[in-house]
Amino acid sequence: MKKKYGKLIIVPTPIGNLADMTFRAVEVLKNVVLIGAEDTRTSSKLLKHYQINTPMISYHKFNERSRVEKFLTKLKNGEDIAIISDAGTPGISDPASIIIKAAIENNIKVESLPGATAFTPALVSSGLDSERFYFAGFLPEKKSEKDSLLKELINIKDPLIFYEAPHRLHKFISSLKEAFGNRKIVIARELSKLYETYYRTSIDEVLANSDMITLKGEFVIIVEGAQEKEYSDAELTEMLQTEIDKDKSKKDAIKKVMEITRKSRNRIYDLALGLKISKNI
Ligand code: SAM
């Protein structure tokens, strides 16, 4: 008779408050044969707290592929394996997708436990529309890839959710300004921890007050989606001038202002004609 395969179980862990572990998550981690953890040292604190003695091996973005075979062998042998990351849900801006795909391809049952993740509380408490949303995660580091992703997001009407590290936050907000112009944003800092803070603000306000955000801890940034907004001629002219001051040609400035405002080329073109600059259209 064919041996019954084990299960691959994806287990979320707290994003800052140890008490956010579910009863089921503890039970699963106690009962599996092996836990694949992003960083075994980080997770050993959690396991110790909940008196979980299951063996752990590292499973992170640098050894993800090489670990898959080991996990598949155990799973095919009927053993259950759990995957955890340093915080939150594995597979959400964290490794896990490679083993999940491999398990599915090998007819192994995959279970994901509901649980902690950073973007859900951030979105819900942001006060922005949460009926639909776009999870963008971390922006790519390479400028060309980052610019092309932001360009794709310009016309999305639903809130956009990003993850970013504290030391890159200001640069990140400048990239948002460059791509979207001014918009409402909500910056959620240190969720579920002692210094949890929500900054419900705008891109321009953050750029104008660089000290308003404590650049320590972890951040989720929610950007309001594209709104149908009326712009006065004066506002459009100011936006054109801002682009031109960045050493853009009138043609590029018009393109950029059209992208941001989604107003007609003719109107923006006419306004640009009135602007005195050395470069030609
Ligand atoms: N798997 C995680 C999840 O389910 O949300 C995300 C892991 S990702 C490597 C780490 C990023 O998640 C951080 O840089 C930050 O953007 C966000 N994050 C994690 N914990 C957070 C917290 N307590 N408060 C705010 N953001 C957090």
Side-chain angles (χ1 to χ4, degrees):
M1 203 177 78
K2 207 178 155 203
K3 198 164 184 175
K4 198 169 166 272
Y5 285 176
K7 277 188 296 193
L8 177 71
I9 313 173
I10 309 301
V11 181
T13 55
I15 58 162
N17 187 327
L18 270 183
D20 286 335
M21 191 73 178
T22 67
F23 291 114
R24 186 174 166 212
V26 174
E27 201 181 292
V28 165
L29 293 183
K30 280 186 174 168
N31 290 328
V32 290
V33 167
L34 183 68
I35 300 171
E38 198 182 355
D39 181 335
T40 52
R41 268 183 314 176
T42 305
S43 297
S44 62
K45 290 174 208 142
L46 177 83
L47 266 50
K48 196 165 168 226
H49 184 84
Y50 286 101
Q51 296 165 2
I52 298 164
N53 299 314
T54 311
M56 260 195 297
I57 59 167
S58 70
Y59 174 79
H60 47 68
K61 64 179 175 186
F62 303 109
N63 72 0
E64 226 178 327
R65 287 182 191 278
S66 62
R67 280 287 188 248
V68 169
E69 280 314 310
K70 186 179 172 87
F71 290 149
L72 286 181
T73 307
K74 284 190 170 296
L75 289 161
K76 286 182 178 174
N77 211 22
E79 293 168 310
D80 291 342
I81 292 180
I83 299 287
I84 58 176
S85 61
D86 286 354
T89 302
I92 300 294
S93 298
D94 265 344
S97 63
I98 291 181
I99 181 66
I100 292 170
K101 279 184 197 143
I104 293 168
E105 277 161 18
N106 284 274
N107 295 319
I108 288 162
K109 190 172 174 197
V110 178
E111 264 179 27
S112 276
L113 270 53
T117 188
F119 75 84
T120 320
L123 174 68
V124 171
S125 296
S126 69
L128 299 175
D129 198 357
S130 60
E131 199 166 308
R132 274 174 285 274
F133 58 88
Y134 185 107
F135 178 74
F138 288 100
L139 282 180
E141 285 191 21
K142 219 169 143 195
K143 186 166 172 4
S144 56
E145 288 172 18
K146 180 173 79 175
D147 291 349
S148 84
L149 175 66
L150 287 172
K151 207 168 169 189
E152 272 176 41
L153 302 180
I154 286 178
N155 290 325
I156 293 179
K157 295 196 172 93
D158 307 314
L160 310 169
I161 305 176
F162 296 94
Y163 284 170
E164 192 48 285
H167 63 281
R168 287 197 296 257
L169 193 71
H170 278 303
K171 196 166 168 225
F172 168 80
I173 308 275
S174 302
S175 303
L176 295 182
K177 171 75 182 175
E178 172 68 20
F180 305 147
N182 190 28
R183 281 195 194 178
K184 274 190 200 166
I185 50 171
V186 177
I187 301 177
R189 172 177 170 254
E190 292 286 82
L191 293 167
S192 77
K193 302 189 206 175
L194 186 60
Y195 295 106
E196 173 172 305
T197 316
Y198 283 89
Y199 302 91
R200 295 181 181 86
T201 176
S202 68
I203 293 176
D204 279 355
E205 207 176 333
V206 179
L207 292 175
N209 306 293
S210 58
D211 295 338
M212 73 180 275
I213 293 162
T214 308
L215 291 177
K216 269 194 205 148
E218 300 190 278
F219 293 87
V220 179
I221 302 97
I222 320 234
V223 183
E224 186 181 42
Q227 305 292 308
E228 269 313 322
K229 190 180 160 210
E230 276 318 308
Y231 290 88
S232 67
D233 284 356
E235 280 174 312
L236 291 174
T237 307
E238 195 185 321
M239 288 168 90
L240 282 164
Q241 193 61 60
T242 306
E243 295 304 317
I244 287 164
D245 290 347
K246 287 182 201 158
D247 225 21
K248 282 195 177 144
S249 66
K250 270 194 187 179
K251 193 174 161 195
D252 287 343
I254 291 168
K255 204 168 148 216
K256 185 77 210 175
V257 174
M258 276 171 64
E259 264 173 21
I260 295 176
T261 63
R262 296 186 293 163
K263 296 299 162 200
S264 81
R265 185 171 205 285
N266 284 352
R267 183 173 168 208
I268 296 171
Y269 183 92
D270 286 348
L271 292 167
L273 280 181
L275 290 174
K276 281 202 189 93
I277 54 157
S278 50
K279 288 181 184 155
N280 293 321
I281 290 180

